[in-house]
Amino acid sequence: MRAVRVSFVTAAATAAALTAVTGCTEKSAADGDGVIQVTAADSTCETSTTSVPAGQVTLKIANKGSRATEVEILFPDDRIVSEKENIGPGTKYTLTAEVKAGAYEIACRPGMKGLGVRQKLTVTGGGKAAARDPKLDKAVAAYREYAQEQADATIPAVETFAKAVDAGDLEAARNAYAPSRVGWERTEPIAESFGDIDPKTDTRADGLEKGQKWTGWHALEKALWQDKKIGAEQKTLAAQLVTDLKDWQRRVGRAEITPTSMANGAKELLDEVATGKVTGEEDRYSHTDLSDFRANVEGAQKAYELLKPVAAKNDAALTTELDKQFAALDALLDTHRSTDDAAQNGYTAYDKVTKEQRKELSDAVNALAEPLSKLAAAVVK
Amino acid sequence: MTETQDPAAGTARPSRRALIGWGGAGLALGAAATGGAMALATTGDGRSAPDAVDFHGPHQAGIATAVQDRLHFAAFDVRTDDRAAFVRLLKEWTAAARRMTAGEEVGDGAHGGLPEAPPDDTGEALGLRASRLTLTIGFGPSLFAKFGLADRRPAALVDLPHFPGDNLDAARTGGDLCVQACADDPQVAVHAIRNLARIGFGTVAVRWSQLGFGKTSSTTPDAQTPRNLMGFKDGTRNIAGTETGRLGKFVWVGDGDGPAWMTGGSYLVARRIRMNIETWDRASLQEQEDVFGRDKGEGAPVGKAREHDAPFLKAMKPDAHVRLAHPDSNHGITILRRGYSFTDGTDGLGRLDAGLFFLAYQRDVREGFVPLQRSLSARDALNEYIQHVGSAVFAVPPGVRDADDWWGRTLFAKEA
């Protein structure tokens, strides 16, 4: 884990930045310009208009359904402009937001789950938000979906891990450790953007601040591999890890993601590899670094592949080089595949990787990370 | 020929900012020893052309050039099978070297570009002068096993034999190619290697590198002869950058010496020589002077009064370093030395990890370093206090002629 991230900003923080005023006042706005009546029900979301002028937009929401609902104004890539959660059945709410010209959607999410029922909203007039290549919006939306899938897939894996710890089964717990980290490692820059989750789940002993209690994967890693024992404390830690990761799963779809932050997130995943995995610092007790290494690279590659159509148009030489270096690193990692140790998730334990092999891995990471650092510029060009 | 001009350039003082940047180490490491300020015009950005060494010429700069105060030397391994990609890198490197030696930033510079992109130049040399930076490239024997170059390897580029006492660390030995960066400002030299390494990622990777903080030889005999870490003047009889005759005889590869692509080039031997500093410091003055064959203060040969007096070798002990290394004891063999003192902190046992990073240029390694080191490694009294722990040899191609030329063109271009 790393303490400070700038690429991703949580939805709450940027919603405020993007919209100068996000009111949640109950003051009544006269119907007219900028006012939209939203009637939410269990399977419908009706809006009184699909076009309003830029400026203050007011949603007068009525929940006529049987369950609590959530109403959002969304950018085309699903970033949230403004939202109100937990509008109870039969209640009303007025939501106001400062919205620039552009294409948006209004979503009602009955039961506060799923993608919701969507309605188009066009905001017209001056102060137009910079138009973005629809291909990039598509890339961001697809990456958001990927991040959610990774979190969704992590929960059962980490529950398996926690169950083994709870049963006091050292071997089963060891075998479930590395697989439980894969989804997290693939999308780590997003998880780290929340600030509060990563310190609880992925802190290493040396990363602890004074007075901070050591929780999460690495505290359990030390217990399983170095201390070789599972006690009541470890069982509590494992249960807490599941809880903390469910919090991540709930929030991951809300992260502020832009094409630039995707590109930089890919680079940051390689930074993680360069500073933590190549050195063997990340999983110093279990030596499962190569499993994390592969997940970091896969996550970076996913972001890259999604941005590639745009990047290739702007800088074909760069994407050619990135294709080549991703393939080279993949091939090199493949040479370290091994089934000797069930706890290693398909790779050689990192303490068995020689100094020369580590240098080779380090060179391959540098060879990829250097051109990857130019991806963001190729995307915004 | 730029390499031989203006010996006064050797006395250029590092800029104020450079001294501050180097911190306490700079004071300890003899920055003050380079006396004599040179008047330098400063331009708006603080870097100026007057202390730039011309990158172009028949020979590469950084060989006969008046020896600068600082070194960053890097050996690289090739990380691609693609000859075209390697040639592309050589051209990119040449363009970057041309700019950096002129005191300019790499590519589009260190700032002011796209906010989303990392800057082309890493920026730590902003505001510093060109500092007589020279960048010199060499090709190691192992390069010739790649890219179908086997039949172009010069016979003079031999694999160095094992010499008695060698204790070579593989991690500090060999390399497919090298770049020697010399400058009067350490940050300028480090900036140059760092930026070349960055441009090279994916095509080449740094195998090892060495910082040197104090020159131990000069190619400017009028200047004060520098001292090595044993406290002795070194390189008194070195070839001067102005000695066109001796350079042609002993340093530059001549027409017909070997493959034509090397004409105007030279051969470089690099050796990391660790000194047993602590035991040396406990040796009596008499023993120290006997080991070298010169006196410690003046640097005069045994029985002589002045440093530059012709040595009478028979007056020295048979195993004295100067006697054994002298051309008269080696059938006239002469090499151009350009080494630097190094200190890489301590070694974990409380001993300085220090010594001499020996760099020697010669016309033919078989008639230069190899016979000399055979003799020295067998008999030199100095061997009790030193150990060779790193080693490499490189073919240094001729100079980059002009703005359209590039490093290694004579080796790689079809028409050459």
Side-chain angles (χ1 to χ4, degrees):
Chain A
M1 63 82 70
R2 297 244 297 262
V4 182
R5 288 285 161 184
V6 290
S7 301
F8 292 90
V9 187
T10 54
T14 32
L18 288 165
T19 63
V21 183
T22 10
C24 38
T25 55
E26 293 289 336
K27 74 171 182 184
S28 65
D31 281 12
D33 276 4
V35 178
I36 306 168
Q37 306 286 341
V38 180
T39 310
D42 288 348
S43 58
T44 57
C45 184
E46 286 167 21
T47 57
S48 60
T49 176
T50 55
S51 178
V52 289
Q56 194 173 71
V57 173
T58 303
L59 300 190
K60 299 187 89 171
I61 305 159
N63 183 5
K64 302 218 166 141
S66 62
R67 293 179 291 172
T69 193
E70 180 176 325
V71 176
E72 298 160 336
I73 307 173
L74 298 166
F75 286 108
D77 64 358
D78 278 6
R79 276 176 300 148
I80 294 166
V81 178
S82 192
E83 64 167 349
K84 174 62 188 168
E85 293 179 300
N86 209 14
I87 304 167
T91 65
K92 293 183 176 179
Y93 188 82
T94 302
L95 173 68
T96 61
E98 200 70 28
V99 185
K100 291 179 176 171
Y104 298 87
E105 283 185 336
I106 291 173
C108 303
R109 299 172 66 223
M112 298 189 288
K113 279 185 193 158
L115 294 172
V117 186
R118 307 284 184 104
Q119 297 294 343
K120 298 279 179 210
L121 174 65
T122 305
V123 179
T124 56
K128 204 174 168 69
R132 204 160 71 190
D133 187 337
K135 282 200 202 108
L136 288 177
D137 286 331
K138 214 176 117 197
V140 168
Y143 187 66
R144 186 184 301 285
E145 201 176 315
Y146 172 75
Q148 188 65 58
E149 282 166 10
Q150 294 306 314
D152 292 348
T154 295
I155 299 307
V158 79
E159 281 172 341
T160 302
F161 175 58
K163 209 173 285 174
V165 171
D166 200 49
D169 187 337
L170 197 63
E171 193 190 342
R174 284 181 176 184
N175 293 348
Y177 170 78
S180 75
R181 294 175 52 75
V182 169
W184 172 275
E185 290 290 322
R186 282 177 181 155
T187 57
E188 198 168 3
I190 297 182
E192 288 177 346
S193 75
F194 297 117
D196 59 331
I197 300 178
D198 182 83
K200 288 190 275 191
T201 58
D202 201 24
T203 295
R204 305 197 302 245
D206 50 280
L208 287 174
E209 288 172 29
K210 198 164 182 274
Q212 183 187 348
K213 182 174 156 41
W214 193 18
T215 58
W217 271 302
H218 295 299
L220 286 160
E221 181 201 359
K222 178 172 180 287
L224 296 177
W225 272 273
Q226 180 157 300
D227 308 336
K228 300 183 177 67
K229 58 176 187 227
I230 297 171
E233 195 196 335
Q234 283 69 42
K235 292 175 186 181
T236 309
L237 284 177
Q240 184 61 44
L241 179 63
V242 173
T243 305
D244 291 337
L245 289 172
K246 281 184 171 166
D247 181 31
W248 163 61
Q249 180 199 20
R250 200 172 51 76
R251 288 156 70 182
V252 72
R254 305 290 183 81
E256 160 73 2
I257 303 174
T258 65
T260 312
S261 75
M262 273 174 71
N264 285 329
K267 181 195 74 79
E268 284 163 16
L269 282 166
L270 267 290
D271 293 346
E272 291 281 339
V273 174
T275 56
K277 278 73 173 188
V278 161
T279 55
E281 286 170 42
E282 181 78 25
D283 299 293
R284 66 190 61 169
Y285 311 107
S286 63
H287 308 297
T288 54
D289 301 272
L290 286 177
S291 172
D292 284 10
F293 190 144
R294 173 72 87 176
N296 285 157
V297 174
E298 283 170 343
Q301 188 156 13
K302 179 70 184 183
Y304 164 62
E305 294 293 348
L306 291 171
L307 294 170
K308 191 169 141 186
V310 174
K313 209 172 57 192
N314 293 332
D315 190 345
L318 179 69
T319 52
T320 304
E321 179 68 12
L322 284 169
D323 285 342
K324 188 176 110 188
Q325 298 300 349
F326 266 116
L329 185 54
D330 272 349
L332 183 59
L333 277 172
D334 281 345
T335 66
H336 293 281
R337 283 191 191 276
S338 164
T339 52
D340 290 352
D341 180 349
Q344 294 297 332
N345 200 25
Y347 294 90
T348 304
Y350 206 62
D351 58 339
K352 306 265 193 315
V353 176
T354 66
K355 206 174 154 192
E356 290 71 26
Q357 290 172 321
R358 290 180 186 202
K359 168 77 161 69
E360 198 178 16
L361 287 164
S362 176
D363 287 347
V365 168
N366 281 330
L368 173 59
E370 189 64 28
L372 199 53
S373 72
K374 299 185 170 83
L375 180 62
V379 166
V380 299
K381 241 176 224 174
Chain B
M1 199 167 70
T2 53
E3 289 85 350
T4 58
Q5 73 187 6
D6 192 10
T11 61
R13 199 172 59 183
S15 71
R16 169 183 295 266
R17 186 161 158 190
L19 283 170
I20 294 168
W22 192 238
L27 303 176
L29 303 184
T34 62
M38 193 169 77
L40 284 167
T42 50
T43 55
D45 65 356
R47 299 183 87 181
S48 58
D51 66 347
V53 176
D54 194 348
F55 180 67
H56 301 119
H59 311 295
Q60 289 195 65
I63 302 171
T65 308
V67 182
Q68 301 91 327
D69 295 326
R70 318 288 179 172
L71 169 81
H72 192 185
F73 188 98
F76 296 84
D77 283 335
V78 171
R79 282 278 180 260
T80 181
D81 300 325
D82 182 350
R83 180 181 165 124
F86 186 66
V87 167
R88 206 156 52 237
L89 172 68
L90 290 173
K91 290 178 179 175
E92 279 178 52
W93 267 11
T94 307
R98 189 177 280 125
R99 290 186 64 88
M100 289 192 286
T101 53
E104 292 164 3
E105 295 159 56
V106 171
D108 291 335
H111 59 88
L114 272 181
E116 291 85 0
D120 286 348
D121 187 287
T122 56
E124 72 273 27
L126 283 175
L128 302 180
R129 294 196 296 251
S131 307
R132 297 197 306 119
L133 173 69
T134 55
L135 293 165
T136 313
I137 198 168
F139 302 131
S142 51
L143 183 73
F144 293 87
K146 302 179 164 81
F147 305 130
L149 293 171
D151 60 349
R152 311 213 72 187
R153 177 173 170 175
L157 182 70
V158 292
D159 292 307
L160 295 181
H162 175 84
F163 298 103
D166 278 4
N167 183 20
L168 304 182
D169 175 357
R172 294 185 187 276
T173 295
D176 291 338
L177 64 162
C178 73
V179 177
Q180 170 196 282
C182 298
D184 289 329
D185 186 322
Q187 189 142 320
V188 169
V190 168
H191 169 262
I193 292 296
R194 174 179 171 189
N195 281 268
L196 294 180
R198 184 173 172 222
I199 293 167
F201 282 131
T203 309
V204 296
V206 174
R207 180 180 175 87
W208 53 269
S209 81
Q210 181 68 56
L211 289 173
F213 63 79
K215 59 181 174 183
T216 61
S217 296
S218 79
T219 50
T220 43
D222 299 342
Q224 171 89 297
T225 304
R227 291 176 188 272
N228 61 27
L229 287 184
M230 288 173 156
F232 279 78
K233 289 182 180 175
D234 210 338
T236 297
R237 289 276 298 148
N238 206 15
I239 301 172
T242 48
E243 290 182 275
T244 314
R246 285 218 293 168
L247 285 168
K249 189 171 176 191
F250 297 115
V251 178
W252 305 129
V253 174
D255 213 358
D257 280 3
W261 71 266
M262 269 300 287
T263 300
S266 188
Y267 293 95
L268 168 62
V269 171
R271 305 278 286 185
R272 188 175 192 269
I273 305 173
R274 170 89 188 264
M275 291 173 178
N276 302 326
I277 295 282
E278 290 75 14
T279 55
W280 171 259
D281 292 346
R282 291 173 200 132
S284 70
L285 178 61
Q286 187 62 55
E287 186 192 343
Q288 292 187 7
E289 294 187 336
D290 285 349
V291 163
F292 273 94
R294 290 185 183 273
D295 86 285
K296 201 164 185 176
E298 165 65 22
V302 174
K304 302 288 177 144
R306 313 294 306 170
E307 180 194 349
H308 289 283
D309 289 348
F312 181 54
L313 298 180
K314 284 180 182 163
M316 298 176 185
K317 300 232 169 194
D319 59 358
H321 178 70
V322 166
R323 179 171 178 173
L324 289 172
H326 197 275
D328 291 353
S329 307
N330 295 282
H331 312 288
I333 292 175
T334 305
I335 56 178
L336 186 150
R337 282 160 294 158
R338 224 177 187 285
Y340 287 81
S341 292
F342 72 84
T343 305
D344 291 343
T346 45
D347 66 357
L349 298 173
R351 307 178 302 186
L352 272 187
D353 181 0
L356 169 66
F357 189 66
F358 172 92
L359 294 167
Y361 287 89
Q362 58 234 281
R363 186 171 171 179
D364 188 330
V365 179
R366 297 166 299 180
E367 293 160 21
F369 180 77
V370 169
L372 262 183
Q373 185 57 19
R374 279 226 168 87
S375 166
L376 288 171
S377 61
R379 292 186 284 157
D380 191 354
L382 200 50
N383 291 338
E384 195 180 332
Y385 298 102
I386 61 172
Q387 190 173 50
H388 288 236
V389 294
S391 176
V393 58
F394 302 98
V396 176
V400 174
R401 292 173 310 184
D402 52 39
D404 297 323
D405 199 6
W406 43 279
W407 271 339
R409 177 190 51 83
T410 58
L411 175 59
F412 285 95
K414 296 276 190 292
E415 73 276 13

